Amino acid sequence: MGDIQACGKLEGLAGLPERDAAALASVGLVTVGDLLNWFPRRYEDRRQFDAYPAQAGGGAVCLRGQVVDSVKRRLGGKRSFYEIMVQEQGGNVLATNKITCRWFNMPFMHRMVAVGHEVILYGKPKDSNGRLIMDHPEFEVVKEGEQQSIHLERIVP
């Protein structure tokens, strides 16, 4: 800790080779503060979740909700898709914020995500016949009985 307060610059930091300090400096990371405030290109801030979108458009969102419905459908031949409907959780009994998630040609998905699971989703919502859809979103099932998942209340790369 003394090194961080004493030097402030990365180039004089003990344990950091000069070539690594030069590489970091080439992308604008010169001080220890720059390094501590640097985030990956894409990350999810799971300290607060986004509001459920009312319409398609915009960028990707990180949502938390409960799976209220699921269905496995065939498209013909060996092609199929698995679809779940996720509803926003909370104290509001009248909450109608829902989003549908689909995974194409992934028959094992029904064993990973099922009705009743609490999930965290990351993806870009789009409109499909008047419904909000996320195709192949990144997801995590919050385990039952765990007060907190390892990826909750932190920034996840």
Side-chain angles (χ1 to χ4, degrees):
M1 192 66 149
D3 285 346
I4 293 173
Q5 291 175 345
C7 83
K9 294 216 177 236
L10 289 176
E11 66 186 35
L13 192 62
L16 183 67
E18 279 188 40
R19 67 182 173 142
D20 291 346
L24 291 169
S26 71
V27 294
L29 302 172
V30 179
T31 67
V32 173
D34 293 338
L35 190 59
L36 291 174
N37 291 319
W38 180 78
F39 292 107
R41 185 176 334 151
R42 188 183 81 70
Y43 63 91
E44 301 167 25
D45 186 352
R46 291 192 180 170
R47 295 172 294 184
Q48 292 186 54
F49 292 95
D50 297 318
Y52 272 64
Q55 59 188 11
V61 292
C62 186
L63 306 173
R64 183 177 185 171
Q66 179 125 16
V67 179
V68 293
D69 193 17
S70 68
V71 66
K72 217 162 100 170
R73 299 181 195 248
R74 288 224 167 270
L75 295 172
K78 292 184 179 182
R79 300 181 321 154
S80 65
F81 69 92
Y82 182 63
E83 183 176 272
I84 62 171
M85 183 169 292
V86 178
Q87 183 172 8
E88 181 178 23
Q89 290 181 302
N92 185 0
V93 235
L94 302 174
T96 57
N97 296 332
K98 294 180 181 176
I99 193 158
T100 302
C101 302
R102 300 186 298 197
W103 291 272
F104 292 92
N105 299 321
M106 298 175 80
F108 56 87
M109 286 302 296
H110 74 279
R111 291 187 299 259
M112 296 177 72
V113 185
V115 173
H117 283 162
E118 182 181 354
V119 292
I120 297 171
L121 305 167
Y122 183 84
K124 188 172 181 179
K126 65 180 187 178
D127 184 83
S128 176
N129 297 326
R131 295 187 314 163
L132 279 179
I133 302 279
M134 266 193 218
D135 285 334
H136 292 269
E138 293 179 26
F139 73 95
E140 177 183 359
V141 176
V142 178
K143 305 283 188 233
E144 288 184 35
E146 286 184 17
Q147 288 280 331
Q148 190 170 349
S149 171
I150 191 170
H151 295 297
L152 290 178
E153 301 299 326
R154 70 184 197 106
I155 295 176
V156 179

